[in-house]
């Protein structure tokens, strides 16, 4: 074998190792599952008097095409649609908004190829009418539209912001972030409205949370936040790739793996429980009807007058 051929072989070996390490390796296998206590979640959902939510709706603000393996290690290089999803939990008192999303300039900065301005207007209206605004964590694609709301001072007191989450918001250097004067320290499992429970799940960020929802008809959901960006994260208990989790958007990967194993085990014990990933636009579009959630209708914005 000539010197050139040997160099090619070495480069191929290095490239293969880099691909495996950065996009395939799912981390140590011995990490134990972090348990979810479904009985405690159900008890908390019943703890607050009043009518429980009646439905869950969602809207996609921005999309981009990325390799599946970036957000779910070992799932290959097929292109999937990563979306910025905003959620609305329908309640008798105006609804609860979860993860309002981001504004157009941030979408552009994050290389999203499509942004839906009409969806942004809808989410702004949701926040105007909401009784509560919740977040799974404080990254810009989950809190940006809240911070950029044109009537921020009228909605800020609706938001439940923990001290750790405020630290993440402050790091974004948004002027409205300095208007958040109240934080709320939450228990590991705490109800914030009838049928709506926040679960502390640090790992993706120090202040990461999940939202458990029990509807009036008994259906149960968990909004997983970026602990599970895609459905394969909880279906296979596989985390984000090392390329993302260690380099591009560092997180506590072992903690995330523990939570993913816990979600997988929880789902296996409770078949009717629905886990909702944060960015899996294709999966949500395909499965929405079967999951008894719906895409919120978006009214086109009026054409600008000439």
């Amino acid at each position: 074998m000539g010197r050139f051929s040997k160099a090619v072989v070495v480069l191929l070996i290095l490239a293969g190792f880099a691909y495996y390490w950065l996009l395939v390796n799912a981390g140590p296998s011995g990490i134990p599952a972090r348990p979810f206590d479904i009985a405690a979640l159900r008890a908390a959902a019943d703890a607050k008097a009043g009518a429980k939510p009646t439905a869950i709706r969602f809207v996609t603000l921005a999309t981009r095409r990325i390799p599946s393996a970036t957000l779910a290690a070992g799932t290959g290089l097929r292109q999937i649609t990563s979306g910025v999803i905003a959620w609305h939990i329908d309640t008798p008192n105006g609804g609860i908004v979860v993860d309002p999303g981001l504004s157009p300039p941030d979408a552009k900065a994050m290389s999203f190829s499509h942004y839906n301005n009409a969806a942004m207007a809808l989410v702004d209206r949701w926040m105007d009418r909401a009784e509560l605004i919740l977040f799974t964590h404080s990254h810009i694609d989950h809190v940006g539209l809240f911070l950029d709301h044109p009537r921020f001072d009228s909605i800020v007191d609706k938001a439940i912001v923990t001290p750790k989450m405020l630290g993440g918001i402050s790091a974004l250097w948004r002027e409205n972030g300095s208007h958040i004067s109240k934080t709320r320290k939450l228990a590991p499992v705490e109800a914030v409205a009838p049928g709506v429970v926040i679960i502390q799940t640090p790992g993706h960020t120090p202040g990461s949370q999940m939202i458990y929802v029990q509807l009036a008809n008994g259906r149960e959901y968990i909004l997983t936040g970026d602990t599970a960006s895609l459905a394969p994260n909880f279906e296979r208990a596989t985390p984000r790739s090392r390329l993302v989790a260690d380099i591009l958007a560092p997180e506590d990967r072992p903690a995330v793996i523990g939570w993913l194993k816990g979600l997988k085990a929880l789902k296996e014990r409770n078949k009717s429980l629905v886990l909702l990933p944060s960015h899996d636009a294709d999966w949500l579009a395909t499965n929405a009807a079967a999951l008894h959630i719906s895409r919120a209708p978006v009214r086109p914005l009026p054409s600008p007058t000439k």
Side-chain angles (χ1 to χ4, degrees):
M1 183 183 294
R3 192 175 296 175
F4 176 76
S5 298
K6 290 180 180 178
V8 170
V9 170
V10 170
L11 287 174
L12 289 174
I13 291 172
L14 290 174
F17 177 79
Y19 172 75
Y20 169 79
W21 185 250
L22 292 174
L23 293 170
V24 177
N25 181 268
S29 60
I31 294 173
R34 296 196 172 198
F36 289 85
D37 187 340
I38 193 67
L41 295 175
R42 289 168 176 163
D46 292 335
K48 284 188 172 290
K52 291 179 179 177
T54 55
I56 296 178
R57 294 180 285 153
F58 69 95
V59 68
T60 304
L61 284 94
T63 57
R64 61 185 173 188
R65 299 286 287 175
I66 61 171
S68 175
T70 57
L71 294 184
T75 57
L77 297 179
R78 66 183 180 89
Q79 296 287 301
I80 57 105
T81 304
S82 173
V84 175
I85 313 294
W87 300 91
H88 189 277
I89 302 169
D90 292 1
T91 71
N93 300 314
I96 297 172
V97 180
V98 180
D99 288 350
L102 80 177
S103 299
D106 292 315
K108 183 177 181 180
M110 295 182 70
S111 300
F112 284 95
S113 57
H114 175 74
Y115 191 90
N116 189 329
N117 286 286
M120 178 185 72
L122 174 62
V123 177
D124 277 343
R125 293 196 297 272
W126 283 354
M127 288 189 281
D128 284 330
R129 297 192 294 258
E131 59 175 300
L132 288 174
I133 302 170
L134 308 178
F135 313 98
T136 59
H137 63 291
S138 56
H139 283 163
I140 194 66
D141 53 331
H142 293 255
V143 303
L145 200 60
F146 164 71
L147 293 173
D148 293 340
H149 193 284
R151 296 167 293 280
F152 183 77
D153 288 342
S154 71
I155 69 166
V156 63
D157 288 339
K158 302 176 183 182
I160 295 180
V161 179
T162 65
K164 287 183 179 179
M165 196 169 290
L166 181 59
I169 288 173
S170 298
L172 299 174
W173 295 101
R174 295 297 166 95
E175 180 182 352
N176 281 337
S178 65
H179 296 195
I180 301 173
S181 59
K182 295 185 297 184
T183 61
R184 178 172 168 182
K185 187 174 182 180
L186 298 174
V189 171
E190 184 166 335
V192 294
V196 181
V197 180
I198 294 181
I199 315 163
Q200 297 303 307
T201 54
H204 177 65
T205 69
S208 285
Q209 308 172 149
M210 296 184 194
I211 315 295
Y212 168 83
V213 181
Q214 186 185 84
L215 299 184
N217 61 16
R219 291 196 177 102
E220 297 174 288
Y221 300 83
I222 292 179
L223 282 74
T224 65
D226 277 4
T227 302
S229 297
L230 304 180
N233 294 130
F234 53 72
E235 291 171 345
R236 305 186 189 188
T238 188
R240 293 181 171 211
S241 67
R242 288 186 182 275
L243 175 64
V244 174
D246 289 351
I247 299 171
L248 299 179
E251 63 185 13
D252 183 344
R253 201 167 189 244
V256 169
I257 293 169
W259 290 120
L260 291 174
K261 287 183 176 181
L263 284 174
K264 186 173 185 292
L266 180 67
K267 175 66 176 174
E268 288 170 351
R269 295 192 304 269
N270 300 274
K271 302 296 185 183
S272 62
L273 173 68
V274 175
L275 304 179
L276 295 174
S278 60
H279 291 295
D280 204 335
D282 294 333
W283 186 86
L284 288 171
T286 299
N287 295 288
L291 301 175
H292 301 285
I293 61 175
S294 62
R295 186 190 299 273
V298 176
R299 297 197 306 265
L301 294 176
S303 300
T305 57
K306 294 183 178 179

